[in-house]
Amino acid sequence: MGKIAAMQKSNRNHNSGGVSPDLIAIVNTLCIAIDRCKKQVSEQINLDKLICAFLLLWLNNKLTMITSVDDIPDIKRISGNKECIENRVRIIRENNISWVEYALLYHTKLDTSYHWQPVPELLNKFYVTVFKKFYGNLLNKHEKNALLKIIIEPWKTPQAFKYKQRVSKNRFYAYIPTMVKQDPYLSLTSKSVLLATEQLHHKSACAYQQERSDHICRHIFDFQNQQLLLIQQTLNKLEITLPYLQRENKRPDYLCDNSRIPTFIREQTETTHSYRERHSSLFGSSRALSKDDVRQFFAHLHQELKNIKDNASNIRSYREYYNFYTYVLAFEFLLLTGCRPTHAISIEIQCNYDFKQVMVKDKGRFRSLYLCDYLKKCIESYRTLQQTLLTQLGLSQGSSYLWFLVDDNNHIVHLRAKSIRQFMQSHWPKNTMKSKNKVVPYCLRHTFAQTAASSMHPKLTNQQIDLLMGHSNFGEHLGCAQRFPVSRNVIENYLNQLPEYFS
């Protein structure tokens, strides 16, 4: 394998569906890390607190950021009626079940905010035990120094693991972010919370999706549970027991909803207390259009198109009908393919291979495009109309694109981003959630991405959504990566549902 091919393969491995690290080697290295913690125990250093802090930092991808004592966060337990701020931990008690939650940072373009995140199920018993004993700062200065030594100094392999599989310390630290990147179903908004911006595989992909904080919390909780469950299963196979991983007998009610995890604030009275649910926050793109708005827009366009057709009596009105049909087809194309309206508003004839394979030029690079059956039929119907008009006007096929406009002088005019933006705003219905001044054709691309991300039947992987959106890195461009029929069938099945979804 050449150097370039190796780089391409390595880059593809970082995307969703890549090959996971050897779990046996990861588990053995975790045991080595815990053994390293045990050797730091003294009168001033508590083992449980040390392991508690180490595992929390490891799960949240913080270990690689620590190079001095000042970098170690002051993890502190607070009461349930306090606001969620950096490095804080609290205990929620519901249905006589205690659960530890920690502050997790959410990034936005404008600012940052912290939201409560429940610890994984297998760690909760251990964390409840630790934080019930220690109120306030978790680590004293001696324990911080000990934790720093564990994080930055080389680990001496214990005799019991001398001849067993293990990974380097840096690879062990990178295990969780690696699994985050390779998880095919963890939402991109959730990945943007767990990873630094430079660690995201496609940095712009998150800008197309939107999700509520309670749904993000659920996704992260399920992901961390899955990773720790795999670790426990591997420990069982290796006949190794770690007392820090214990399954809970029951979850509190607020963790039983499979779609969301609400956030509560504790309200105290003179005799008792209660938990009040807080409103969730929206993160990600706000440019996607609602399903009802899209339906109204296209219903309005098709009604206008029908009215123009019914009143067509001469070549001038017939040309008006054709041009209006061209705009309608362009909008259907943008909505059902997710193409960038600033790059591809039509398909080049030389890039259309009988609709079995279609390519468009996107940011200076060709990429494959998938067309649903409905859109193929619309294009074929349009082409029949187009040929009839060109014959009546005495024009030959003078364009390299499948659809185009014809002006009053019977000259062929190609669609432009400005013209379709003006057309969209002038024909946008009044009784919609989004005003016409805020609507642009690019909103249809955001709508396509949001619909793909929220689809459940079929459920698309992040890699499939990236393929539909045209997001690709080195090694994933057209001609570099293989496309398998099973994956293509899932994509085509999803796309064929879109026309019915948008009515």
Side-chain angles (χ1 to χ4, degrees), residues 138-336:
L138 178 64
L139 302 177
N140 59 39
K141 63 177 182 179
H142 301 288
E143 289 161 343
K144 279 191 172 184
N145 286 320
L147 183 59
L148 181 65
K149 287 181 66 176
I150 295 168
I151 294 171
I152 65 174
E153 290 185 0
W155 294 349
K156 186 177 180 181
T157 305
Q159 192 63 36
F161 294 92
K162 204 77 173 178
Y163 301 103
K164 294 183 179 180
Q165 293 173 275
R166 55 195 184 276
V167 295
S168 67
K169 188 171 61 175
N170 290 336
R171 284 182 176 269
F172 174 72
Y173 291 168
Y175 172 71
I176 295 297
T178 298
M179 296 306 294
V180 170
K181 286 188 282 187
Q182 294 181 350
D183 192 306
Y185 294 109
L186 185 63
S187 67
L188 291 176
T189 45
S190 302
K191 290 187 178 188
S192 68
V193 172
L194 294 173
L195 298 174
T197 304
E198 61 273 10
Q199 291 179 309
L200 293 171
H201 192 69
H202 299 301
K203 298 177 179 62
S204 61
C206 297
Y208 289 94
Q209 298 180 21
Q210 185 183 66
E211 202 166 12
R212 303 201 75 89
S213 56
D214 52 353
H215 292 275
I216 296 174
C217 182
R218 179 83 239 179
H219 295 324
I220 295 174
F221 183 69
D222 290 341
F223 167 78
Q224 292 181 341
N225 280 332
Q226 181 186 26
Q227 298 310 313
L228 287 180
L229 183 61
L230 291 172
I231 288 174
Q232 188 190 47
Q233 291 172 349
T234 307
L235 286 166
N236 294 338
K237 289 179 182 178
L238 298 174
E239 298 181 349
I240 300 173
T241 302
L242 283 182
Y244 314 105
L245 301 180
Q246 299 179 45
R247 183 178 291 276
E248 286 283 357
N249 296 325
K250 190 179 179 182
R251 292 180 182 179
D253 288 344
Y254 84 103
L255 293 180
C256 294
D257 189 335
N258 291 328
S259 62
R260 60 187 287 267
I261 296 179
T263 298
F264 296 97
I265 186 72
R266 176 172 166 159
E267 294 182 336
Q268 187 75 39
T269 63
E270 292 182 0
T271 57
T272 184
H273 70 270
S274 61
Y275 290 103
R276 176 174 55 86
E277 182 177 340
R278 284 194 158 181
H279 293 294
S280 58
S281 304
L282 278 171
F283 290 89
S285 170
S286 59
R287 299 181 70 182
L289 303 172
S290 70
K291 179 171 67 174
D292 290 338
D293 282 4
V294 173
R295 286 177 172 178
Q296 286 188 58
F297 174 59
F298 279 96
H300 173 75
L301 290 183
H302 283 284
Q303 185 60 46
E304 284 286 317
L305 186 66
K306 183 178 182 301
N307 294 339
I308 296 172
K309 181 180 179 181
D310 292 341
N311 296 325
S313 57
N314 52 44
I315 191 66
R316 182 178 179 181
S317 56
Y318 193 61
R319 186 176 57 212
E320 181 188 357
Y321 168 66
Y322 165 79
N323 286 337
F324 200 96
Y325 198 164
T326 303
Y327 279 111
V328 174
L329 180 63
F331 287 121
E332 288 179 334
F333 171 73
L334 295 176
L335 177 66
L336 299 177

Side-chain angles (χ1 to χ4, degrees), residues 320-495:
E320 181 188 357
Y321 168 66
Y322 165 79
N323 286 337
F324 200 96
Y325 198 164
T326 303
Y327 279 111
V328 174
L329 180 63
F331 287 121
E332 288 179 334
F333 171 73
L334 295 176
L335 177 66
L336 299 177
T337 63
C339 272
R340 291 180 176 89
T342 53
H343 289 73
I345 310 173
S346 183
I347 300 173
E348 288 190 70
I349 295 175
Q350 64 179 3
C351 296
N352 171 35
Y353 304 98
D354 197 24
F355 298 114
K356 295 178 182 178
Q357 178 74 24
V358 175
M359 293 188 299
V360 293
K361 206 163 190 179
D362 199 343
K363 290 191 172 182
R365 190 186 300 273
F366 282 105
R367 72 174 179 96
S368 294
L369 202 65
Y370 294 89
L371 304 183
C372 64
D373 294 338
Y374 169 81
L375 187 57
K376 291 177 184 177
K377 291 178 181 177
C378 287
I379 296 174
E380 290 170 357
S381 175
Y382 169 85
R383 292 282 286 174
T384 302
L385 171 67
Q386 183 187 78
Q387 190 58 46
T388 303
L389 177 67
L390 294 179
T391 302
Q392 290 184 2
L393 295 176
L395 297 175
S396 60
Q397 177 68 37
S399 175
S400 58
Y401 290 93
L402 288 179
W403 54 87
F404 48 82
L405 302 171
V406 177
D407 65 12
D408 294 341
N409 297 319
N410 295 335
H411 294 153
I412 291 174
V413 179
H414 294 139
L415 288 168
R416 294 286 182 265
K418 182 179 179 180
S419 62
I420 64 168
R421 183 179 71 249
Q422 292 173 339
F423 184 93
M424 186 176 191
Q425 292 178 345
S426 63
H427 289 82
W428 187 253
K430 293 181 180 179
N431 55 338
T432 53
M433 295 175 61
K434 189 163 285 194
S435 65
K436 67 177 184 179
N437 296 329
K438 296 183 179 180
V439 172
V440 292
Y442 220 97
C443 291
L444 297 176
R445 176 169 165 83
H446 284 258
T447 306
F448 178 83
Q450 185 64 33
T451 307
S454 57
S455 172
M456 297 304 296
H457 304 288
K459 178 70 175 174
L460 300 180
T461 66
N462 291 322
Q463 199 169 35
Q464 288 169 334
I465 296 174
D466 289 338
L467 180 63
L468 288 172
M469 294 295 293
H471 294 143
S472 60
N473 284 342
F474 185 60
E476 299 172 336
H477 303 313
L478 184 65
C480 295
Q482 293 179 332
R483 308 293 180 211
F484 294 98
V486 173
S487 178
R488 185 185 180 98
N489 291 339
V490 171
I491 291 174
E492 290 178 346
N493 182 25
Y494 162 73
L495 291 176

